[in-house]
Amino acid sequence: MSKWECVDCGYVYDPAVGDEENGIAPGTAFADLPDDWVCPDCGSPKDSFEEL
Amino acid sequence: MRYVIAGGGVAGVTAAKEIRKQDPEGEVELFSSEPYPYYYRPKLWEFIAGKSAPEETYYRPENWYADQGIQLHLNSTVVGLDVEGKTLSLKDGQEVLFDKLVIASGARSFVPPVEGADMEGVFALRTLDDAKSIAACADTVKSAVLIGGGLLGLETAKALVDRGLKVSVVEFMSRLLPRQLDEAGADVLQAYLEKQGLEIYLDAKTERITAGSDSLTVLLADGRKIEAGMVVFSTGIRSNIEPWKSCGLPVGRGVQVDEYLMTASEGIYAVGDAAEFKGFVYGIIPAATEQGKIAGANMVKPKSKIYKGTVPSTRLKIVGMEFNAYGDATLDGDDVLVRRVVEKEAGRYERLAIQDGCIRGAILLGDPKKAVAIKRLIAVETDVSAHVDQLLEDGFDLKSLASA
């Protein structure tokens, strides 16, 4: 599964790590993140991410 | 240990989060002059465009702070600092003691001293309250003049178009986005924006604003006149440095910091739009988050992380058109190789500036797919001299080059 980067702040979403703080389990693909998930660093929406 | 954060924007909140991560025990207190918890500023355009409610701009609910063990104090403007006594003073007279402090007081809109700029119906956009005032006024008028053809100005202009207004953009320079685009790129962007219904005035210096019975008139220095229901300035920001000016810390355009993001005083740090690093105030989100993380770490473990600067990057996303500029975007000169793709009809423009074998600056208009790879090539200074002529070709594998 590929990593995605927030183009607003540079945060990288790594599916292997997930986003535990916001209830995203490790192993969750970027595509499977809920639509209202936002960048945990800056709050930018999902469509601000680019695939690495 | 008592950590205090002066400012509730993205730099301050990032620092608070990092402090908490590094020190689960310490007290973390965040003071914000805003009446709202941190919101993601680009969402303000969605709100003005009528696409989301103000609460939807909040990035985290208020209880998130408590859950993280961060004490959030809203409506708490810091007005002074006693460096020796390690004390902040708030507007309401309260005094706040700290062991470690990070200054994250951000910036505010700068409005040039134009006659009439203080009239009713004239605005500048920075905060959620500004956005609310602009949206409320926009519902009572039919047209707007946006002064300032920079990145934020164009976003605001487009948001007002989406709200149903006729919008004119007034730019002082001879092209749009003068800091991020060269002539050819600005030309492609302008053609696109005009198709979206924006009217663009270039080489236009605003002389004054006058009020008629039910509209405002913007008078340009060359005699042109634009009539509209409201006026919005988007002419840059100024760091909020007033509270720190008389405390003895070196302050230039921002509070000056070293490579640890520490000010001249041990234990006092500065980040984001209020911080000046090597003579530079970045004023962009990526720098604010990077600095927030590094300062937060250094506040807990002194000198554990070094800040090397942030590659300037800007991004504009106007329905169907994506714009990215990285590094020294408009770099030119005898020792600079420039590679371009210009497709005006398709709204596509790409420009790379290559110097000493490395990409130093990039402009990507229309197609965001290459953005991440090119940003990385700039940041890690990859030698691209063997591929100079292929870099912008469709199908060239930038990703592999960037991850090599």
Side-chain angles (χ1 to χ4, degrees):
Chain A
M1 281 185 287
S2 51
K3 297 179 185 179
W4 288 66
E5 179 176 322
C6 171
V7 291
D8 280 322
C9 76
Y11 166 86
V12 174
Y13 176 77
D14 182 349
V17 178
D19 174 18
E20 218 168 311
E21 191 191 315
N22 298 295
I24 306 297
T28 307
F30 185 81
D32 296 332
L33 291 170
D35 287 341
D36 60 356
W37 181 86
V38 297
C39 171
D41 275 2
C42 74
S44 190
K46 233 181 129 176
D47 66 3
S48 295
F49 280 72
E50 309 277 357
E51 192 171 2
L52 291 182
Chain B
M1 187 64 76
R2 187 176 157 83
Y3 304 95
V4 168
I5 297 113
V10 64
V13 171
T14 307
K17 217 173 104 176
E18 188 64 28
I19 292 167
R20 175 50 76 229
K21 203 165 121 191
Q22 304 265 348
D23 179 355
E25 303 296 323
E27 277 178 78
V28 182
E29 306 254 345
L30 193 151
F31 295 84
S32 171
S33 54
E34 288 262 4
Y36 316 102
Y38 166 64
Y39 46 88
Y40 173 66
R41 261 177 232 289
K43 268 246 173 193
L44 298 180
W45 291 309
E46 271 180 43
F47 164 63
I48 291 174
K51 290 176 188 159
S52 62
E55 310 77 61
E56 288 174 47
T57 61
Y58 298 156
Y59 142 62
R60 289 201 163 106
E62 220 161 318
N63 62 17
W64 176 85
Y65 295 84
D67 292 347
Q68 296 285 311
I70 297 166
Q71 278 250 43
L72 176 65
H73 305 269
L74 297 174
N75 298 302
S76 301
T77 304
V78 176
V79 291
L81 163 65
D82 172 0
V83 172
E84 291 303 312
K86 295 195 167 181
T87 310
L88 285 178
S89 28
L90 303 186
K91 203 173 177 181
D92 63 6
Q94 221 189 125
E95 301 218 310
V96 177
L97 287 166
F98 61 84
D99 295 311
K100 300 275 176 82
L101 169 71
V102 59
I103 292 169
S105 47
R108 61 178 181 282
S109 298
F110 166 74
V111 175
V114 168
E115 195 187 319
D118 52 356
M119 280 190 306
E120 206 177 310
V122 182
F123 302 87
L125 173 63
R126 177 73 189 170
T127 64
L128 180 51
D129 280 339
D130 292 337
K132 285 180 176 176
S133 310
I134 289 170
C137 181
D139 289 342
T140 66
V141 301
K142 291 192 170 65
S143 58
V145 176
L146 201 296
I147 300 176
L151 207 59
L152 308 186
L154 294 180
E155 292 273 20
T156 308
K158 183 61 169 82
L160 288 168
V161 167
D162 288 347
R163 206 177 177 94
L165 272 61
K166 183 182 167 299
V167 181
S168 307
V169 175
V170 169
E171 168 57 41
F172 178 73
M173 302 284 279
S174 59
R175 62 174 190 264
L176 294 173
L177 301 187
R179 279 194 301 159
Q180 295 95 356
L181 274 181
D182 60 355
E183 290 285 345
D187 204 35
V188 174
L189 178 65
Q190 183 171 347
Y192 176 81
L193 292 174
E194 283 169 346
K195 262 191 234 168
Q196 302 284 308
L198 274 76
E199 201 171 335
I200 315 266
Y201 292 76
L202 298 173
D203 293 308
K205 184 180 188 301
T206 303
E207 185 99 326
R208 62 175 189 277
I209 304 166
T210 57
S213 55
D214 57 355
S215 71
L216 299 169
T217 301
V218 175
L219 292 154
L220 303 180
D222 60 9
R224 284 180 286 180
K225 288 178 187 175
I226 315 165
E227 207 174 301
M230 66 189 290
V231 175
V232 183
F233 276 92
S234 184
T235 38
I237 57 164
R238 291 293 180 270
S239 303
N240 290 324
I241 49 174
E242 288 67 26
W244 326 112
K245 267 184 167 168
S246 54
C247 67
L249 296 176
V251 176
R253 296 207 309 130
V255 180
Q256 291 166 351
V257 290
D258 62 13
E259 70 267 39
Y260 304 106
L261 298 172
M262 198 169 80
T263 66
S265 175
E266 192 84 30
I268 301 180
Y269 297 74
V271 292
D273 293 352
E276 179 185 315
F277 176 73
K278 291 187 174 168
F280 203 63
V281 176
Y282 283 91
I284 52 173
I285 293 177
T289 55
E290 200 175 347
Q291 293 177 359
K293 277 183 201 171
I294 291 172
N298 286 336
M299 286 168 77
V300 179
K301 298 179 181 128
K303 301 193 173 177
S304 58
K305 289 215 169 124
I306 290 180
Y307 179 65
K308 297 192 180 98
T310 301
V311 175
S313 69
T314 40
R315 178 165 167 267
L316 175 80
K317 212 172 166 190
I318 302 180
V319 185
M321 171 70 119
E322 184 141 355
F323 164 72
N324 294 275
Y326 298 116
D328 196 348
T330 56
L331 180 70
D332 213 341
D334 292 342
D335 60 338
V336 179
L337 274 171
V338 173
R339 288 293 175 272
R340 276 197 184 92
V341 174
V342 187
E343 289 171 20
K344 194 167 172 177
E345 279 308 302
R348 180 170 169 220
Y349 179 77
E350 295 171 354
R351 178 191 196 271
L352 297 180
I354 299 151
Q355 193 179 36
D356 305 324
C358 304
I359 306 174
R360 303 292 180 195
I363 298 168
L364 300 171
L365 193 59
D367 181 5
K369 284 199 288 290
K370 298 169 183 168
V372 173
I374 287 178
K375 197 169 126 187
R376 183 143 308 173
L377 290 171
I378 294 174
V380 303
E381 304 191 311
T382 306
D383 188 339
V384 298
S385 40
H387 313 282
V388 169
D389 292 317
Q390 293 102 55
L391 288 168
L392 289 178
E393 272 176 17
D394 287 330
F396 180 74
D397 192 0
L398 280 169
K399 267 186 197 172
S400 306
L401 190 62
S403 54

Short mmCIF file of all heavy atoms in Angstrom, two decimals, chain B residues 187-240:
data_model
loop_
_atom_site.label_atom_id
_atom_site.label_comp_id
_atom_site.label_asym_id
_atom_site.label_seq_id
_atom_site.Cartn_x
_atom_site.Cartn_y
_atom_site.Cartn_z
N ASP B 187 0.31 34.42 -17.65
CA ASP B 187 -0.55 34.56 -18.81
C ASP B 187 -1.54 33.39 -18.91
O ASP B 187 -2.73 33.57 -19.15
CB ASP B 187 0.39 34.54 -20.03
CG ASP B 187 -0.23 35.24 -21.21
OD1 ASP B 187 -0.95 36.22 -20.96
OD2 ASP B 187 0.01 34.79 -22.35
N VAL B 188 -1.04 32.18 -18.71
CA VAL B 188 -1.89 30.98 -18.74
C VAL B 188 -2.92 31.04 -17.62
O VAL B 188 -4.11 30.77 -17.82
CB VAL B 188 -1.03 29.69 -18.62
CG1 VAL B 188 -1.92 28.46 -18.52
CG2 VAL B 188 -0.08 29.57 -19.81
N LEU B 189 -2.47 31.42 -16.42
CA LEU B 189 -3.39 31.50 -15.28
C LEU B 189 -4.47 32.56 -15.51
O LEU B 189 -5.65 32.32 -15.25
CB LEU B 189 -2.61 31.82 -13.99
CG LEU B 189 -3.47 31.95 -12.73
CD1 LEU B 189 -4.14 30.62 -12.37
CD2 LEU B 189 -2.64 32.45 -11.55
N GLN B 190 -4.07 33.71 -16.03
CA GLN B 190 -5.02 34.79 -16.25
C GLN B 190 -6.12 34.38 -17.25
O GLN B 190 -7.30 34.63 -17.02
CB GLN B 190 -4.30 36.05 -16.73
CG GLN B 190 -5.27 37.22 -16.91
CD GLN B 190 -4.55 38.53 -17.18
OE1 GLN B 190 -3.33 38.63 -17.00
NE2 GLN B 190 -5.29 39.53 -17.60
N ALA B 191 -5.69 33.74 -18.32
CA ALA B 191 -6.67 33.28 -19.32
C ALA B 191 -7.68 32.34 -18.68
O ALA B 191 -8.89 32.42 -18.92
CB ALA B 191 -5.94 32.58 -20.47
N TYR B 192 -7.19 31.48 -17.81
CA TYR B 192 -8.07 30.53 -17.13
C TYR B 192 -9.05 31.24 -16.21
O TYR B 192 -10.25 30.96 -16.22
CB TYR B 192 -7.23 29.52 -16.34
CG TYR B 192 -8.07 28.58 -15.53
CD1 TYR B 192 -8.67 27.46 -16.12
CD2 TYR B 192 -8.31 28.83 -14.18
CE1 TYR B 192 -9.47 26.61 -15.38
CE2 TYR B 192 -9.11 27.98 -13.44
CZ TYR B 192 -9.68 26.87 -14.04
OH TYR B 192 -10.48 26.04 -13.31
N LEU B 193 -8.53 32.20 -15.42
CA LEU B 193 -9.38 32.90 -14.46
C LEU B 193 -10.44 33.75 -15.17
O LEU B 193 -11.58 33.85 -14.71
CB LEU B 193 -8.54 33.78 -13.54
CG LEU B 193 -7.63 33.00 -12.58
CD1 LEU B 193 -6.73 33.96 -11.82
CD2 LEU B 193 -8.44 32.16 -11.61
N GLU B 194 -10.07 34.34 -16.30
CA GLU B 194 -11.04 35.14 -17.04
C GLU B 194 -12.17 34.26 -17.56
O GLU B 194 -13.32 34.66 -17.60
CB GLU B 194 -10.33 35.91 -18.16
CG GLU B 194 -9.58 37.12 -17.58
CD GLU B 194 -8.63 37.81 -18.54
OE1 GLU B 194 -8.32 37.24 -19.61
OE2 GLU B 194 -8.18 38.91 -18.22
N LYS B 195 -11.81 33.04 -17.93
CA LYS B 195 -12.85 32.09 -18.35
C LYS B 195 -13.80 31.78 -17.20
O LYS B 195 -14.97 31.47 -17.41
CB LYS B 195 -12.20 30.78 -18.83
CG LYS B 195 -12.04 30.68 -20.33
CD LYS B 195 -11.65 29.27 -20.73
CE LYS B 195 -10.39 29.27 -21.57
NZ LYS B 195 -9.80 27.94 -21.74
N GLN B 196 -13.28 31.85 -15.97
CA GLN B 196 -14.10 31.59 -14.78
C GLN B 196 -14.96 32.81 -14.41
O GLN B 196 -15.69 32.76 -13.43
CB GLN B 196 -13.21 31.25 -13.58
CG GLN B 196 -12.31 30.06 -13.77
CD GLN B 196 -13.07 28.76 -13.67
OE1 GLN B 196 -13.79 28.53 -12.70
NE2 GLN B 196 -12.95 27.91 -14.66
N GLY B 197 -14.78 33.91 -15.14
CA GLY B 197 -15.63 35.07 -14.89
C GLY B 197 -14.98 36.18 -14.09
O GLY B 197 -15.63 37.18 -13.76
N LEU B 198 -13.70 36.05 -13.75
CA LEU B 198 -13.03 37.13 -13.02
C LEU B 198 -12.54 38.20 -14.00
O LEU B 198 -12.10 37.88 -15.10
CB LEU B 198 -11.82 36.60 -12.24
CG LEU B 198 -12.09 36.05 -10.85
CD1 LEU B 198 -12.71 34.67 -10.94
CD2 LEU B 198 -10.81 36.00 -10.04
N GLU B 199 -12.67 39.45 -13.57
CA GLU B 199 -12.13 40.53 -14.38
C GLU B 199 -10.81 40.96 -13.75
O GLU B 199 -10.74 41.21 -12.55
CB GLU B 199 -13.12 41.70 -14.40
CG GLU B 199 -12.90 42.62 -15.57
CD GLU B 199 -14.01 43.65 -15.69
OE1 GLU B 199 -15.13 43.37 -15.21
OE2 GLU B 199 -13.76 44.72 -16.24
N ILE B 200 -9.74 41.01 -14.55
CA ILE B 200 -8.41 41.26 -13.98
C ILE B 200 -7.87 42.62 -14.42
O ILE B 200 -7.85 42.92 -15.62
CB ILE B 200 -7.42 40.16 -14.45
CG1 ILE B 200 -8.04 38.77 -14.33
CG2 ILE B 200 -6.08 40.30 -13.71
CD1 ILE B 200 -7.80 38.00 -13.11
N TYR B 201 -7.44 43.43 -13.46
CA TYR B 201 -6.79 44.72 -13.74
C TYR B 201 -5.33 44.61 -13.33
O TYR B 201 -5.04 44.42 -12.16
CB TYR B 201 -7.44 45.84 -12.93
CG TYR B 201 -8.86 46.17 -13.34
CD1 TYR B 201 -9.92 45.34 -12.99
CD2 TYR B 201 -9.13 47.32 -14.08
CE1 TYR B 201 -11.22 45.65 -13.37
CE2 TYR B 201 -10.43 47.64 -14.44
CZ TYR B 201 -11.46 46.80 -14.09
OH TYR B 201 -12.74 47.11 -14.45
N LEU B 202 -4.41 44.76 -14.31
CA LEU B 202 -2.98 44.71 -13.98
C LEU B 202 -2.38 46.11 -13.99
O LEU B 202 -3.01 47.05 -14.44
CB LEU B 202 -2.26 43.80 -14.98
CG LEU B 202 -2.73 42.34 -14.98
CD1 LEU B 202 -2.08 41.58 -16.11
CD2 LEU B 202 -2.48 41.67 -13.65
N ASP B 203 -1.13 46.22 -13.50
CA ASP B 203 -0.47 47.52 -13.38
C ASP B 203 -1.40 48.54 -12.73
O ASP B 203 -1.48 49.69 -13.16
CB ASP B 203 -0.06 48.06 -14.78
CG ASP B 203 1.03 47.21 -15.40
OD1 ASP B 203 2.05 46.98 -14.71
OD2 ASP B 203 0.86 46.76 -16.55
N ALA B 204 -2.09 48.10 -11.73
CA ALA B 204 -3.16 48.91 -11.16
C ALA B 204 -2.86 49.28 -9.71
O ALA B 204 -2.90 48.44 -8.83
CB ALA B 204 -4.49 48.16 -11.25
N LYS B 205 -2.57 50.56 -9.52
CA LYS B 205 -2.30 51.02 -8.16
C LYS B 205 -3.57 51.66 -7.63
O LYS B 205 -4.15 52.55 -8.26
CB LYS B 205 -1.16 52.05 -8.18
CG LYS B 205 -0.76 52.52 -6.81
CD LYS B 205 0.38 53.53 -6.91
CE LYS B 205 0.95 53.89 -5.55
NZ LYS B 205 -0.02 54.46 -4.63
N THR B 206 -4.02 51.19 -6.47
CA THR B 206 -5.24 51.74 -5.88
C THR B 206 -4.94 53.10 -5.26
O THR B 206 -4.08 53.22 -4.38
CB THR B 206 -5.79 50.79 -4.81
OG1 THR B 206 -6.03 49.52 -5.42
CG2 THR B 206 -7.09 51.31 -4.23
N GLU B 207 -5.63 54.11 -5.73
CA GLU B 207 -5.38 55.46 -5.23
C GLU B 207 -6.26 55.75 -4.01
O GLU B 207 -5.77 56.13 -2.98
CB GLU B 207 -5.69 56.46 -6.35
CG GLU B 207 -5.35 57.88 -6.00
CD GLU B 207 -4.01 58.30 -6.57
OE1 GLU B 207 -3.11 57.44 -6.66
OE2 GLU B 207 -3.88 59.47 -6.95
N ARG B 208 -7.55 55.54 -4.17
CA ARG B 208 -8.43 55.69 -3.01
C ARG B 208 -9.78 55.02 -3.26
O ARG B 208 -10.08 54.60 -4.38
CB ARG B 208 -8.61 57.15 -2.62
CG ARG B 208 -9.25 58.03 -3.65
CD ARG B 208 -9.47 59.42 -3.03
NE ARG B 208 -10.26 60.24 -3.92
CZ ARG B 208 -9.76 60.92 -4.95
NH1 ARG B 208 -8.46 60.85 -5.23
NH2 ARG B 208 -10.56 61.65 -5.72
N ILE B 209 -10.51 54.88 -2.18
CA ILE B 209 -11.83 54.27 -2.25
C ILE B 209 -12.84 55.31 -1.79
O ILE B 209 -12.64 55.95 -0.76
CB ILE B 209 -11.91 53.02 -1.35
CG1 ILE B 209 -10.79 52.02 -1.74
CG2 ILE B 209 -13.27 52.34 -1.46
CD1 ILE B 209 -10.57 50.93 -0.70
N THR B 210 -13.88 55.49 -2.58
CA THR B 210 -14.89 56.45 -2.17
C THR B 210 -16.24 55.77 -2.08
O THR B 210 -16.47 54.74 -2.72
CB THR B 210 -15.01 57.62 -3.18
OG1 THR B 210 -15.29 57.06 -4.47
CG2 THR B 210 -13.73 58.42 -3.25
N ALA B 211 -17.13 56.34 -1.28
CA ALA B 211 -18.44 55.73 -1.08
C ALA B 211 -19.51 56.54 -1.80
O ALA B 211 -19.55 57.76 -1.69
CB ALA B 211 -18.75 55.66 0.41
N GLY B 212 -20.35 55.84 -2.56
CA GLY B 212 -21.51 56.48 -3.17
C GLY B 212 -22.71 56.14 -2.32
O GLY B 212 -22.58 55.68 -1.18
N SER B 213 -23.91 56.31 -2.85
CA SER B 213 -25.10 56.08 -2.04
C SER B 213 -25.28 54.60 -1.71
O SER B 213 -25.60 54.25 -0.58
CB SER B 213 -26.34 56.63 -2.76
OG SER B 213 -26.42 56.04 -4.05
N ASP B 214 -25.03 53.71 -2.69
CA ASP B 214 -25.19 52.30 -2.36
C ASP B 214 -24.05 51.45 -2.93
O ASP B 214 -24.21 50.25 -3.12
CB ASP B 214 -26.55 51.77 -2.82
CG ASP B 214 -26.74 51.98 -4.32
OD1 ASP B 214 -25.86 52.61 -4.94
OD2 ASP B 214 -27.76 51.50 -4.85
N SER B 215 -22.92 52.08 -3.22
CA SER B 215 -21.78 51.29 -3.68
C SER B 215 -20.47 52.02 -3.39
O SER B 215 -20.46 53.19 -3.00
CB SER B 215 -21.89 51.03 -5.19
OG SER B 215 -21.67 52.22 -5.89
N LEU B 216 -19.39 51.30 -3.55
CA LEU B 216 -18.06 51.87 -3.36
C LEU B 216 -17.39 51.99 -4.72
O LEU B 216 -17.69 51.23 -5.63
CB LEU B 216 -17.22 50.95 -2.47
CG LEU B 216 -17.74 50.68 -1.06
CD1 LEU B 216 -16.95 49.55 -0.41
CD2 LEU B 216 -17.66 51.94 -0.22
N THR B 217 -16.48 52.96 -4.84
CA THR B 217 -15.71 53.08 -6.07
C THR B 217 -14.23 53.02 -5.75
O THR B 217 -13.74 53.74 -4.88
CB THR B 217 -16.02 54.40 -6.78
OG1 THR B 217 -17.43 54.44 -7.07
CG2 THR B 217 -15.26 54.50 -8.11
N VAL B 218 -13.53 52.12 -6.44
CA VAL B 218 -12.08 52.05 -6.30
C VAL B 218 -11.48 52.85 -7.44
O VAL B 218 -11.73 52.58 -8.61
CB VAL B 218 -11.59 50.58 -6.38
CG1 VAL B 218 -10.06 50.52 -6.36
CG2 VAL B 218 -12.17 49.77 -5.23
N LEU B 219 -10.69 53.88 -7.08
CA LEU B 219 -10.05 54.73 -8.08
C LEU B 219 -8.61 54.30 -8.23
O LEU B 219 -7.87 54.24 -7.25
CB LEU B 219 -10.10 56.19 -7.61
CG LEU B 219 -11.50 56.82 -7.58
CD1 LEU B 219 -11.57 57.94 -6.59
CD2 LEU B 219 -11.86 57.32 -8.98
N LEU B 220 -8.23 54.01 -9.47
CA LEU B 220 -6.85 53.61 -9.72
C LEU B 220 -6.02 54.83 -10.11
O LEU B 220 -6.56 55.83 -10.61
CB LEU B 220 -6.80 52.55 -10.83
CG LEU B 220 -7.63 51.30 -10.56
CD1 LEU B 220 -7.51 50.31 -11.72
CD2 LEU B 220 -7.21 50.63 -9.26
N ALA B 221 -4.71 54.73 -9.89
CA ALA B 221 -3.82 55.88 -10.13
C ALA B 221 -3.85 56.35 -11.57
O ALA B 221 -3.66 57.53 -11.86
CB ALA B 221 -2.40 55.52 -9.72
N ASP B 222 -4.13 55.43 -12.52
CA ASP B 222 -4.14 55.82 -13.94
C ASP B 222 -5.51 56.32 -14.39
O ASP B 222 -5.76 56.50 -15.58
CB ASP B 222 -3.68 54.65 -14.81
CG ASP B 222 -4.58 53.42 -14.65
OD1 ASP B 222 -5.65 53.53 -14.01
OD2 ASP B 222 -4.21 52.35 -15.16
N GLY B 223 -6.42 56.53 -13.44
CA GLY B 223 -7.70 57.11 -13.77
C GLY B 223 -8.84 56.11 -13.93
O GLY B 223 -10.01 56.49 -13.95
N ARG B 224 -8.51 54.82 -14.03
CA ARG B 224 -9.59 53.84 -14.16
C ARG B 224 -10.42 53.80 -12.86
O ARG B 224 -9.90 54.04 -11.78
CB ARG B 224 -8.99 52.44 -14.44
CG ARG B 224 -8.51 52.26 -15.86
CD ARG B 224 -7.93 50.87 -16.09
NE ARG B 224 -6.62 50.70 -15.48
CZ ARG B 224 -5.90 49.57 -15.55
NH1 ARG B 224 -6.39 48.52 -16.19
NH2 ARG B 224 -4.72 49.49 -14.97
N LYS B 225 -11.69 53.48 -13.00
CA LYS B 225 -12.59 53.41 -11.85
C LYS B 225 -13.32 52.08 -11.86
O LYS B 225 -13.77 51.63 -12.90
CB LYS B 225 -13.65 54.52 -11.91
CG LYS B 225 -13.14 55.89 -11.64
CD LYS B 225 -14.29 56.89 -11.77
CE LYS B 225 -13.74 58.30 -11.66
NZ LYS B 225 -14.78 59.31 -11.89
N ILE B 226 -13.43 51.45 -10.70
CA ILE B 226 -14.21 50.22 -10.62
C ILE B 226 -15.24 50.38 -9.51
O ILE B 226 -14.92 50.70 -8.37
CB ILE B 226 -13.31 49.00 -10.27
CG1 ILE B 226 -12.02 49.01 -11.09
CG2 ILE B 226 -14.07 47.70 -10.50
CD1 ILE B 226 -10.96 48.07 -10.57
N GLU B 227 -16.48 50.15 -9.86
CA GLU B 227 -17.55 50.29 -8.89
C GLU B 227 -17.95 48.91 -8.38
O GLU B 227 -18.00 47.95 -9.17
CB GLU B 227 -18.75 50.97 -9.55
CG GLU B 227 -19.61 51.74 -8.57
CD GLU B 227 -20.71 52.51 -9.30
OE1 GLU B 227 -20.35 53.35 -10.16
OE2 GLU B 227 -21.88 52.25 -9.01
N ALA B 228 -18.21 48.80 -7.10
CA ALA B 228 -18.60 47.50 -6.54
C ALA B 228 -19.29 47.67 -5.20
O ALA B 228 -19.21 48.74 -4.59
CB ALA B 228 -17.38 46.60 -6.38
N GLY B 229 -19.94 46.62 -4.77
CA GLY B 229 -20.65 46.66 -3.49
C GLY B 229 -19.73 46.53 -2.30
O GLY B 229 -20.04 46.99 -1.20
N MET B 230 -18.61 45.86 -2.50
CA MET B 230 -17.67 45.69 -1.39
C MET B 230 -16.25 45.59 -1.92
O MET B 230 -16.03 45.34 -3.10
CB MET B 230 -18.02 44.43 -0.56
CG MET B 230 -17.84 43.12 -1.31
SD MET B 230 -18.51 41.66 -0.41
CE MET B 230 -17.34 41.53 0.95
N VAL B 231 -15.29 45.82 -1.00
CA VAL B 231 -13.88 45.77 -1.37
C VAL B 231 -13.16 44.87 -0.37
O VAL B 231 -13.40 44.95 0.83
CB VAL B 231 -13.24 47.18 -1.35
CG1 VAL B 231 -11.74 47.10 -1.60
CG2 VAL B 231 -13.91 48.09 -2.38
N VAL B 232 -12.32 43.98 -0.87
CA VAL B 232 -11.52 43.13 0.03
C VAL B 232 -10.05 43.30 -0.30
O VAL B 232 -9.64 43.15 -1.46
CB VAL B 232 -11.90 41.64 -0.10
CG1 VAL B 232 -11.11 40.80 0.91
CG2 VAL B 232 -13.40 41.43 0.10
N PHE B 233 -9.27 43.64 0.71
CA PHE B 233 -7.82 43.75 0.54
C PHE B 233 -7.16 42.40 0.78
O PHE B 233 -7.49 41.70 1.72
CB PHE B 233 -7.23 44.75 1.53
CG PHE B 233 -7.31 46.17 1.07
CD1 PHE B 233 -8.40 46.97 1.42
CD2 PHE B 233 -6.29 46.72 0.30
CE1 PHE B 233 -8.47 48.29 1.00
CE2 PHE B 233 -6.35 48.03 -0.12
CZ PHE B 233 -7.44 48.82 0.22
N SER B 234 -6.23 42.04 -0.09
CA SER B 234 -5.41 40.86 0.15
C SER B 234 -4.00 41.26 -0.23
O SER B 234 -3.49 40.91 -1.28
CB SER B 234 -5.91 39.69 -0.69
OG SER B 234 -5.16 38.54 -0.36
N THR B 235 -3.39 42.05 0.63
CA THR B 235 -2.12 42.69 0.29
C THR B 235 -1.04 42.32 1.30
O THR B 235 -0.24 43.14 1.70
CB THR B 235 -2.30 44.22 0.21
OG1 THR B 235 -3.19 44.63 1.25
CG2 THR B 235 -2.90 44.64 -1.10
N GLY B 236 -1.07 41.07 1.72
CA GLY B 236 0.03 40.58 2.55
C GLY B 236 -0.26 40.54 4.03
O GLY B 236 -1.35 40.91 4.48
N ILE B 237 0.71 40.04 4.77
CA ILE B 237 0.56 39.91 6.22
C ILE B 237 1.72 40.61 6.92
O ILE B 237 2.75 40.88 6.31
CB ILE B 237 0.53 38.42 6.66
CG1 ILE B 237 1.79 37.68 6.19
CG2 ILE B 237 -0.73 37.75 6.16
CD1 ILE B 237 2.05 36.36 6.88
N ARG B 238 1.51 40.91 8.18
CA ARG B 238 2.58 41.40 9.05
C ARG B 238 2.58 40.54 10.31
O ARG B 238 1.51 40.23 10.86
CB ARG B 238 2.33 42.86 9.45
CG ARG B 238 2.48 43.85 8.30
CD ARG B 238 3.91 43.96 7.80
NE ARG B 238 4.03 44.91 6.70
CZ ARG B 238 3.89 44.61 5.41
NH1 ARG B 238 3.60 43.37 5.05
NH2 ARG B 238 4.04 45.53 4.48
N SER B 239 3.76 40.17 10.77
CA SER B 239 3.86 39.35 11.98
C SER B 239 3.36 40.13 13.20
O SER B 239 3.56 41.33 13.29
CB SER B 239 5.32 38.96 12.22
OG SER B 239 5.82 38.27 11.09
N ASN B 240 2.73 39.40 14.11
CA ASN B 240 2.29 40.02 15.36
C ASN B 240 3.46 40.07 16.33
O ASN B 240 3.67 39.14 17.12
CB ASN B 240 1.13 39.23 15.97
CG ASN B 240 -0.14 39.38 15.16
OD1 ASN B 240 -0.41 40.45 14.60
ND2 ASN B 240 -0.91 38.31 15.06
#
